[in-house]
Amino acid sequence: MFPDMEKVKAIKLDKEMKVSELVERMKDAGFGARKIGRASEIVEKMFDDKECKVFFGLAGAMVPAGMKQIVIDLINEKRIDVLVTTGANLTHDLIEALGEAHWHCDEWDDEEFHEKGYDRMYNVLMKNEVYPMLEDFFEKNWSEFEECDTIRSFLKHVEKLLPKNSNSILKACVENDVQLYCPALADSGIGLMIWGRKAAGKEIFIDAFEDMKEIIDFSWTAKKAGVIYIGGGTPKNFIQQSLQFSKGADYGVQVTQDVEVGGGSSGAPLEEGKSWGKLKKDANFVDVRCDATIAMPLIFS
Amino acid sequence: MFPDMEKVKAIKLDKEMKVSELVERMKDAGFGARKIGRASEIVEKMFDDKECKVFFGLAGAMVPAGMKQIVIDLINEKRIDVLVTTGANLTHDLIEALGEAHWHCDEWDDEEFHEKGYDRMYNVLMKNEVYPMLEDFFEKNWSEFEECDTIRSFLKHVEKLLPKNSNSILKACVENDVQLYCPALADSGIGLMIWGRKAAGKEIFIDAFEDMKEIIDFSWTAKKAGVIYIGGGTPKNFIQQSLQFSKGADYGVQVTQDVEVGGGSSGAPLEEGKSWGKLKKDANFVDVRCDATIAMPLIFS
Amino acid sequence: MFPDMEKVKAIKLDKEMKVSELVERMKDAGFGARKIGRASEIVEKMFDDKECKVFFGLAGAMVPAGMKQIVIDLINEKRIDVLVTTGANLTHDLIEALGEAHWHCDEWDDEEFHEKGYDRMYNVLMKNEVYPMLEDFFEKNWSEFEECDTIRSFLKHVEKLLPKNSNSILKACVENDVQLYCPALADSGIGLMIWGRKAAGKEIFIDAFEDMKEIIDFSWTAKKAGVIYIGGGTPKNFIQQSLQFSKGADYGVQVTQDVEVGGGSSGAPLEEGKSWGKLKKDANFVDVRCDATIAMPLIFS
Amino acid sequence: MFPDMEKVKAIKLDKEMKVSELVERMKDAGFGARKIGRASEIVEKMFDDKECKVFFGLAGAMVPAGMKQIVIDLINEKRIDVLVTTGANLTHDLIEALGEAHWHCDEWDDEEFHEKGYDRMYNVLMKNEVYPMLEDFFEKNWSEFEECDTIRSFLKHVEKLLPKNSNSILKACVENDVQLYCPALADSGIGLMIWGRKAAGKEIFIDAFEDMKEIIDFSWTAKKAGVIYIGGGTPKNFIQQSLQFSKGADYGVQVTQDVEVGGGSSGAPLEEGKSWGKLKKDANFVDVRCDATIAMPLIFS
């Protein structure tokens, strides 16, 4: 490791510096800054590698936190082949596509929020009245969904019903033929809407396992694979298990605040994936332990 | 808050002290120790409250980490009404029920593990050969599963096929009529087994949303509710969203190492649930920020 | 690593189980539980090794959190040779030795606490009136301190003035000839008391570097060394730098919640010390990432 | 809190975007991004407030991680009145001022590093040979230091001996009359150099408490105060205790990865300071839980 040793260079800020320049300089610094720089470089490489299929796992509630547009732009720029996300992200994406918003709060009183009809996600609020709006949307359009038999097809039908110019991850995926998976859709607001119709006696049968075929096939046949994980949870793990059927990822970038020592999949370092065959021996990868809302704008700048 | 103020008392250890005594004394100490003591007390209260239905969310990979028996004992002692867990926990539970084991490792070389056929989860290993064992199990018994149309019914059929005296969370749930949910079963080794059969052309049709009916109904009709979350992820969130249809939980204990500031459901403090109506205004609850493998034996001692 | 591989065994609780039994069983479990078990074993070994000098670094504010007695008992049982701690711990130790207490709070309103005269340390409170009590103590006894020229000698003079039967870390150290260091005493309530006298024109001259001689000498001449770090900060680092003059520690146990990725000394894994020569190549050590108030009663049970 | 509620706006990246623009947009996003935006705004306000004295606490090992220049620039631009830092930062600052460097490492083998003479700080290395260089520096120049009787005066004498054009935090402080404090200098490489001379029989007496006078005086007389904490430890706590003699800080920005629940000063939220009178009731402040090497370039852009 010694021949290539490079010096740490102190970051010199200047008022006119572009984000992309800062990220380059961060690579010359140490600790987490170094990792942001390396992550940006690895992401670039995996995007530029024509043989590489890019799997993007987006956990948490990144949409209410204002990270939606970064994901949409990556999709529109054809950077991503597969997006696996939470029902939460898709629900909030739908809420915004239907015209509602999320709100800042820098202090909180949860009892007061409850009385006033606000639901809190750390320092972001959602109005409780989005639920009747979602109810209306699904109730009114339910006939459209009756034929759906997979989660993927259900989501595609949701997309068809979105307002024309809505700005949405779901829409971007459909328009750009990005494979969109949401294995735990039941665990979300959209899941509740499906439950609501079922509870009211409407018939719909959506298979819980059918979507696995396509993602595993895709993983199996990919010459090369790159993974980007924003948070852990089901999105990361669902991609990781598909990669057991690949040759192992060639590139990897993970952004998480979860701890490694807890033993969970969410906080596990990418390196651990080598034991499982999910990551190649000589893969190019980095773990960034950082708030995703801070790291994402830097890494994808 | 001042009238009831109690003094911090230093913990005095002694060689003969029982775990339950230590936990009681921890309540007199500060910081995390205090919370362990309070969690134990709240858990006791929710178990003793005859009107209270207990929802237990078990995330991560607690089975390979040796936490299985604590959960089994809680089930056998009729402490829990609903268990929501990950596919990972159920897969490892099945692996152990079928006679395989997990192994310690205090140091790691993931490339070597890969060559030798070990899959690592932090400081625990699994032999890769468990996969053919699982393949055999499902392949041989597949006809049993063909009628299953929900995740819950699928799991019940798995249980029927377990060796007689196997010690398993799944078995304990079935034997004690504990409702067992696993909304993201697709995202696990068992999910891969189902995929494998489907990929081989076998027919099975398992609904992704059907199980929501029962848990939401149960939540809706419960006079009182108590929640215990070991880790976050889908298990916690799936219970939390069901509670939106309840009167709000009366008791809550959460053990997690995830951070609050990340904005994710996994790290969110229980207090936040008040804004959503998932936790009652005057609920008795505590967040324990600790490795679950350390906190669980103390809290349930 | 494979010949010795041991199975993970699930922890089975029982009502009569002693803490020491639980800790033994934790060693058979995974993740953090395993580490608690190993830490306990390593601590035992270093205590039993007659050639080993034990350096104990106690950071943070462990005294107000009720951890005082565990440290006192270790000192009284002659387990520790050197104790390095924060001014905070010594200040709170003195406050309790002088008859004052710390208090629980499970909820907080810092503005209200301020008005009522309470100072908060997470879920522990101290009354603001301890300051005049400390003022009195030092003002009244100041002539005793005028000859002190090192931090160690100053602390020994404080001890002489403690009430006869007071239960205190400081007292235990003096009575058992444990070397007590507090390199950042200026950064604490006791430091403020010294400042107060100096500001009032009283003369005292305490050397900032003199105490280094003894600890480095001790480290230099120790046949073997063992380190126990409860938290990081100055206590850990001060021991670590002394060990650069030793043969490297033979045993090490660290309990911390600080992160490794931040690059600070507090969160650095013990392994990192090998590069510096602070830890021997074949040392027996473990990092426990856990709230110290939870881990300490287990490890020292 | 409701009248002023603002919408979360998704961050839209573009290739030409300046860092300062990104930080502004981050304020419109949620979770940690929001806090980076707010921190930048608060820092700006405290810098612009003519009545406000700025106290900057710089912990950890920010110099080897490439953060030196940001601090130097803040000093040169007269943004800071008081800098409290660790001996580690000053030692690394001196090492670089004397011409040595720090080095990247993205993987590690601490035993090999030890053999090759590298000391590791997470992903940054220092050559062990800096120690003889420091020895030479102090040995050669020792007569200069003999009159020093405070840590501050000692550091000023170090500065006088630096190469003319060296780029250094220490130099910048002296040149700009910024008060520089290092209460735990004994706990650092420079401390070891002082010890080395003392051990060799050279006389020097440096008072451990004298520097407190000036910082407390300054805090006492400041019309307004602003605090910036990069990490916790002694730098933060030393400023915090000085503020007990002020009217309470009017502005505060804290960047830390330490946890709140541990009860330590390093991870304590600024809000907690209100109970102690260290922060004003109506202060403008924010806690940023982030790797400082990522947050600093954004906040000070």
Side-chain angles (χ1 to χ4, degrees):
Chain A
M1 51 187 92
F2 297 93
D4 316 327
M5 248 175 40
E6 301 160 59
K7 275 190 196 177
V8 172
K9 288 182 207 142
I11 292 177
K12 168 83 181 166
L13 297 176
D14 84 72
K15 287 290 161 208
E16 300 304 311
M17 189 167 49
K18 291 180 201 167
V19 179
S20 53
E21 289 167 345
L22 172 60
V23 172
E24 243 187 276
R25 292 183 201 181
M26 281 177 134
K27 197 173 161 253
D28 294 332
F31 304 168
R34 166 78 171 171
K35 293 178 164 205
I36 292 282
R38 290 187 61 218
S40 169
E41 200 179 63
I42 293 169
V43 156
E44 199 96 358
K45 275 185 193 158
M46 91 172 80
F47 288 165
D48 287 349
D49 186 335
K50 299 294 176 227
E51 293 184 315
C52 179
K53 300 301 181 191
V54 177
F55 296 75
F56 195 105
L58 182 71
M62 288 293 108
V63 170
M67 296 296 116
K68 177 176 75 172
Q69 194 60 49
I70 296 176
V71 179
I72 291 174
D73 288 350
L74 288 172
I75 296 167
N76 286 336
E77 292 159 12
K78 317 281 187 197
R79 304 302 201 181
I80 295 174
D81 296 284
V82 171
L83 178 67
V84 183
T85 193
T86 53
N89 275 323
L90 293 179
T91 301
H92 293 289
D93 185 61
L94 174 59
I95 287 166
E96 295 198 354
L98 296 178
E100 248 306 331
H102 296 88
W103 308 85
H104 289 298
C105 65
D106 297 320
E107 302 184 309
W108 33 87
D109 178 332
D110 290 305
E111 295 178 17
E112 189 183 348
F113 284 152
H114 185 55
E115 282 161 31
K116 301 263 168 83
Y118 286 92
D119 300 330
R120 182 166 73 88
M121 291 156 283
Y122 193 53
N123 61 4
V124 172
L125 297 177
M126 183 179 80
K127 290 183 189 165
N128 223 322
E129 62 201 37
V130 302
Y131 283 108
M133 179 187 74
L134 290 176
E135 294 276 353
D136 279 1
F137 175 82
F138 283 99
E139 186 64 31
K140 189 172 68 189
N141 297 302
W142 191 248
S143 59
E144 304 280 339
F145 297 109
E146 283 169 352
E147 304 297 295
C148 299
D149 55 3
T150 66
I151 292 170
R152 294 201 59 201
S153 68
F154 183 86
L155 292 172
K156 279 180 190 166
H157 277 79
V158 173
E159 191 273 342
K160 279 189 202 159
L161 298 162
L162 293 183
K164 258 281 137 64
N165 298 311
S166 59
N167 185 27
S168 134
I169 290 175
L170 178 54
K171 196 168 210 68
C173 284
V174 172
E175 287 178 351
N176 292 280
D177 270 327
V178 167
Q179 296 174 40
L180 174 65
Y181 298 94
C182 183
L185 184 61
D187 181 30
S188 74
I190 295 176
L192 288 177
M193 294 303 124
I194 298 174
W195 161 81
R197 306 291 89 61
K198 284 174 87 86
K202 290 186 175 153
E203 294 227 329
I204 188 167
F205 299 103
I206 294 179
D207 193 279
F209 300 92
E210 192 64 20
D211 290 342
M212 297 177 78
K213 282 186 192 168
E214 198 169 1
I215 189 172
I216 294 178
D217 249 31
F218 194 73
S219 176
W220 176 273
T221 56
K223 277 197 192 154
K224 286 176 160 187
V227 296
I228 300 170
Y229 298 131
I230 305 298
T234 298
K236 175 184 176 184
N237 200 60
F238 194 66
I239 294 173
Q240 287 286 89
Q241 77 172 18
S242 303
L243 290 173
Q244 286 185 268
F245 301 88
S246 76
K247 298 161 196 77
D250 301 81
Y251 305 97
V253 167
Q254 165 169 253
V255 178
T256 183
Q257 288 180 283
D258 295 337
V259 297
E260 175 180 355
V261 295
S265 160
S266 299
L270 291 173
E271 175 81 23
E272 192 179 288
K274 288 187 182 174
S275 71
W276 297 78
K278 296 165 182 172
L279 188 73
K280 261 194 199 142
K281 207 173 149 164
D282 57 352
N284 200 349
F285 67 97
V286 69
D287 295 311
V288 181
R289 304 271 166 183
C290 186
D291 190 308
T293 61
I294 300 171
M296 280 181 79
L298 295 171
I299 293 173
F300 298 112
S301 67
Chain B
M1 48 187 96
F2 298 95
D4 317 327
M5 246 174 42
E6 302 159 60
K7 274 191 196 178
V8 172
K9 289 182 207 140
I11 292 177
K12 168 85 182 164
L13 297 175
D14 84 74
K15 288 291 161 207
E16 300 304 311
M17 188 168 51
K18 291 182 201 166
V19 179
S20 53
E21 289 167 346
L22 173 60
V23 172
E24 244 188 273
R25 294 185 198 180
M26 282 176 132
K27 197 173 161 251
D28 294 332
F31 304 169
R34 165 79 172 169
K35 294 179 164 205
I36 292 283
R38 291 187 60 218
S40 169
E41 200 180 63
I42 293 169
V43 156
E44 199 96 358
K45 276 186 193 159
M46 88 174 81
F47 289 165
D48 287 349
D49 186 335
K50 299 297 176 225
E51 293 184 315
C52 179
K53 300 301 181 191
V54 176
F55 295 76
F56 195 105
L58 182 71
M62 287 293 108
V63 171
M67 295 298 115
K68 178 176 73 172
Q69 194 60 48
I70 296 175
V71 179
I72 291 174
D73 288 351
L74 288 172
I75 297 167
N76 286 336
E77 292 159 12
K78 318 281 186 196
R79 304 302 202 182
I80 296 175
D81 296 285
V82 171
L83 178 67
V84 183
T85 191
T86 54
N89 275 324
L90 292 180
T91 301
H92 293 290
D93 185 61
L94 175 58
I95 287 166
E96 296 198 354
L98 296 178
E100 251 304 332
H102 295 89
W103 308 85
H104 289 298
C105 67
D106 297 321
E107 303 184 307
W108 33 87
D109 177 333
D110 290 304
E111 296 179 15
E112 191 183 349
F113 284 152
H114 185 56
E115 282 162 30
K116 300 261 169 81
Y118 286 91
D119 301 331
R120 183 166 72 87
M121 290 155 284
Y122 193 54
N123 61 3
V124 173
L125 297 177
M126 182 180 80
K127 290 183 188 165
N128 221 323
E129 61 201 38
V130 302
Y131 284 108
M133 180 187 74
L134 290 177
E135 293 276 352
D136 279 3
F137 176 81
F138 283 100
E139 185 65 31
K140 191 172 67 190
N141 299 302
W142 191 249
S143 59
E144 305 280 339
F145 299 108
E146 283 168 353
E147 303 296 295
C148 299
D149 54 3
T150 65
I151 292 170
R152 293 200 60 200
S153 68
F154 183 86
L155 292 172
K156 280 179 190 165
H157 277 79
V158 173
E159 191 271 343
K160 279 190 202 158
L161 298 161
L162 293 183
K164 259 278 136 67
N165 297 310
S166 58
N167 186 26
S168 133
I169 290 176
L170 178 53
K171 198 169 209 66
C173 284
V174 172
E175 288 178 351
N176 293 280
D177 271 326
V178 167
Q179 296 174 41
L180 175 65
Y181 299 94
C182 183
L185 185 62
D187 182 31
S188 75
I190 295 176
L192 288 176
M193 294 304 124
I194 298 173
W195 161 81
R197 305 292 88 63
K198 283 173 88 87
K202 287 183 177 156
E203 294 227 330
I204 188 166
F205 200 87
I206 294 178
D207 194 279
F209 301 92
E210 192 64 21
D211 290 343
M212 297 177 78
K213 282 187 194 168
E214 198 168 0
I215 189 172
I216 294 177
D217 249 31
F218 194 73
S219 177
W220 176 271
T221 55
K223 276 197 194 155
K224 285 177 161 187
V227 296
I228 300 171
Y229 298 130
I230 304 298
T234 298
K236 175 184 175 183
N237 201 59
F238 194 65
I239 294 173
Q240 287 285 88
Q241 77 173 18
S242 304
L243 291 173
Q244 287 186 266
F245 300 88
S246 76
K247 298 163 196 76
D250 301 81
Y251 305 97
V253 167
Q254 165 169 252
V255 178
T256 183
Q257 289 181 283
D258 295 337
V259 296
E260 175 179 356
V261 294
S265 160
S266 300
L270 290 173
E271 174 82 23
E272 192 178 290
K274 287 188 183 174
S275 71
W276 298 76
K278 297 165 181 172
L279 189 73
K280 260 191 202 146
K281 209 172 149 166
D282 57 352
N284 199 350
F285 67 97
V286 69
D287 295 311
V288 181
R289 304 271 166 182
C290 185
D291 190 308
T293 61
I294 300 171
M296 280 181 78
L298 295 171
I299 293 173
F300 298 112
S301 67
Chain C
M1 47 188 95
F2 297 95
D4 317 328
M5 246 173 43
E6 302 160 59
K7 275 190 197 177
V8 172
K9 289 183 207 139
I11 293 177
K12 168 84 181 165
L13 297 176
D14 84 74
K15 289 289 161 210
E16 300 303 311
M17 189 167 50
K18 291 182 200 165
V19 179
S20 53
E21 289 167 345
L22 172 59
V23 172
E24 243 187 276
R25 294 185 199 178
M26 281 177 134
K27 196 171 161 253
D28 295 331
F31 304 169
R34 166 79 171 170
K35 294 179 164 203
I36 292 283
R38 290 187 61 217
S40 169
E41 199 179 64
I42 293 169
V43 156
E44 199 96 358
K45 274 185 194 159
M46 91 172 79
F47 289 165
D48 287 349
D49 186 334
K50 298 295 176 226
E51 293 185 314
C52 178
K53 300 302 181 191
V54 177
F55 296 75
F56 195 105
L58 183 70
M62 288 293 108
V63 171
M67 295 298 116
K68 177 176 74 171
Q69 195 60 48
I70 296 175
V71 180
I72 291 174
D73 288 350
L74 289 172
I75 296 167
N76 286 337
E77 293 158 11
K78 317 282 187 196
R79 304 302 201 181
I80 295 175
D81 297 284
V82 171
L83 177 67
V84 184
T85 192
T86 53
N89 274 324
L90 293 179
T91 301
H92 293 290
D93 184 61
L94 174 58
I95 287 166
E96 295 198 354
L98 295 179
E100 250 305 332
H102 295 89
W103 308 85
H104 289 297
C105 66
D106 297 321
E107 302 183 309
W108 32 87
D109 177 332
D110 290 305
E111 295 177 18
E112 189 183 348
F113 284 153
H114 185 55
E115 281 161 32
K116 301 261 168 83
Y118 287 91
D119 301 330
R120 182 167 73 88
M121 290 155 283
Y122 193 53
N123 60 4
V124 172
L125 296 177
M126 183 179 80
K127 290 183 189 165
N128 223 322
E129 62 201 38
V130 301
Y131 284 108
M133 179 187 75
L134 290 177
E135 293 276 352
D136 279 0
F137 175 81
F138 283 99
E139 186 64 31
K140 188 172 70 189
N141 298 303
W142 191 249
S143 59
E144 305 280 338
F145 298 109
E146 283 169 351
E147 303 296 293
C148 298
D149 54 3
T150 64
I151 291 170
R152 294 200 59 201
S153 68
F154 182 86
L155 293 172
K156 280 179 189 164
H157 277 79
V158 174
E159 191 272 342
K160 279 190 202 158
L161 298 162
L162 294 183
K164 258 280 136 65
N165 296 310
S166 59
N167 185 27
S168 132
I169 291 175
L170 179 53
K171 196 167 210 68
C173 284
V174 172
E175 288 178 351
N176 292 281
D177 270 328
V178 167
Q179 296 174 41
L180 175 65
Y181 298 94
C182 183
L185 185 61
D187 181 31
S188 73
I190 295 177
L192 288 177
M193 295 304 125
I194 298 174
W195 161 81
R197 306 290 90 61
K198 284 173 86 88
K202 289 185 175 153
E203 293 227 330
I204 189 165
F205 200 88
I206 294 178
D207 193 279
F209 301 92
E210 192 64 21
D211 290 342
M212 297 177 78
K213 282 185 190 168
E214 198 169 359
I215 189 172
I216 295 178
D217 249 31
F218 193 73
S219 176
W220 176 273
T221 56
K223 277 196 192 156
K224 286 177 161 185
V227 296
I228 300 170
Y229 299 130
I230 304 298
T234 299
K236 175 184 176 184
N237 200 59
F238 194 66
I239 294 173
Q240 287 285 89
Q241 77 172 18
S242 304
L243 290 174
Q244 287 187 267
F245 301 88
S246 76
K247 298 163 195 75
D250 301 81
Y251 305 97
V253 167
Q254 166 170 251
V255 178
T256 183
Q257 288 181 283
D258 295 338
V259 296
E260 175 179 355
V261 296
S265 160
S266 300
L270 291 173
E271 174 81 24
E272 192 178 289
K274 287 188 181 174
S275 71
W276 298 76
K278 296 164 182 173
L279 188 73
K280 260 192 200 144
K281 208 173 149 165
D282 56 352
N284 200 349
F285 66 98
V286 69
D287 295 311
V288 182
R289 304 271 166 182
C290 185
D291 189 308
T293 61
I294 300 171
M296 281 181 79
L298 294 172
I299 293 173
F300 298 111
S301 66
Chain D
M1 49 188 94
F2 297 95
D4 317 327
M5 248 175 41
E6 301 160 60
K7 275 192 196 177
V8 172
K9 289 183 207 141
I11 292 178
K12 168 85 182 164
L13 298 175
D14 84 72
K15 288 291 161 209
E16 300 304 311
M17 189 169 48
K18 291 181 200 166
V19 179
S20 53
E21 289 166 346
L22 172 59
V23 172
E24 243 187 275
R25 293 184 200 181
M26 281 177 135
K27 197 172 161 253
D28 294 332
F31 303 168
R34 165 80 172 170
K35 294 179 165 204
I36 292 283
R38 291 187 60 218
S40 169
E41 200 180 64
I42 293 170
V43 156
E44 199 97 358
K45 275 187 194 157
M46 89 174 80
F47 289 166
D48 287 349
D49 186 334
K50 299 296 175 226
E51 294 184 316
C52 178
K53 301 302 180 189
V54 177
F55 296 75
F56 195 105
L58 183 70
M62 288 293 108
V63 171
M67 295 298 116
K68 179 177 73 172
Q69 194 60 49
I70 296 175
V71 179
I72 291 174
D73 288 350
L74 287 173
I75 297 167
N76 286 337
E77 291 158 12
K78 316 281 185 197
R79 305 301 202 183
I80 295 174
D81 296 284
V82 170
L83 178 67
V84 183
T85 192
T86 54
N89 275 324
L90 293 179
T91 301
H92 292 290
D93 185 61
L94 174 58
I95 286 166
E96 295 198 353
L98 295 178
E100 250 304 333
H102 295 88
W103 309 84
H104 288 297
C105 67
D106 297 321
E107 301 183 309
W108 33 88
D109 177 332
D110 290 304
E111 296 178 16
E112 190 184 348
F113 284 153
H114 186 55
E115 282 162 30
K116 301 261 168 83
Y118 286 91
D119 300 330
R120 182 165 72 88
M121 291 154 284
Y122 193 54
N123 60 4
V124 172
L125 296 176
M126 182 179 80
K127 290 184 188 164
N128 221 323
E129 62 201 37
V130 302
Y131 284 108
M133 181 187 74
L134 289 177
E135 294 276 353
D136 279 2
F137 176 82
F138 283 99
E139 185 64 32
K140 191 171 68 190
N141 298 302
W142 192 249
S143 60
E144 304 280 340
F145 298 108
E146 283 168 353
E147 304 296 296
C148 299
D149 55 3
T150 65
I151 292 170
R152 292 201 60 199
S153 69
F154 183 87
L155 292 172
K156 280 180 189 164
H157 277 79
V158 174
E159 191 273 341
K160 279 191 202 158
L161 298 161
L162 294 182
K164 259 279 137 66
N165 297 310
S166 57
N167 185 27
S168 135
I169 290 175
L170 178 54
K171 197 168 208 65
C173 284
V174 172
E175 287 177 352
N176 292 281
D177 271 326
V178 167
Q179 297 173 40
L180 175 66
Y181 298 94
C182 183
L185 185 61
D187 181 31
S188 74
I190 295 176
L192 288 176
M193 295 303 125
I194 298 173
W195 161 81
R197 307 290 89 62
K198 285 173 86 88
K202 289 184 175 154
E203 295 225 329
I204 189 167
F205 299 104
I206 294 178
D207 193 279
F209 301 91
E210 192 65 21
D211 291 342
M212 297 178 78
K213 281 185 193 168
E214 198 168 0
I215 189 173
I216 295 178
D217 250 30
F218 194 73
S219 176
W220 177 272
T221 56
K223 277 195 193 157
K224 286 177 161 186
V227 297
I228 300 171
Y229 299 130
I230 305 297
T234 298
K236 175 185 176 183
N237 200 60
F238 194 65
I239 294 173
Q240 288 285 89
Q241 77 173 19
S242 303
L243 290 174
Q244 287 185 266
F245 300 89
S246 76
K247 298 163 195 75
D250 300 81
Y251 305 97
V253 167
Q254 166 169 251
V255 178
T256 184
Q257 289 181 282
D258 295 337
V259 297
E260 175 178 357
V261 294
S265 160
S266 299
L270 291 173
E271 174 82 22
E272 192 179 289
K274 287 187 183 174
S275 71
W276 298 76
K278 297 164 181 174
L279 188 73
K280 260 192 201 145
K281 209 172 148 165
D282 57 351
N284 199 350
F285 66 98
V286 68
D287 295 311
V288 182
R289 304 272 166 180
C290 185
D291 190 308
T293 62
I294 299 171
M296 280 181 78
L298 294 171
I299 293 173
F300 298 111
S301 67

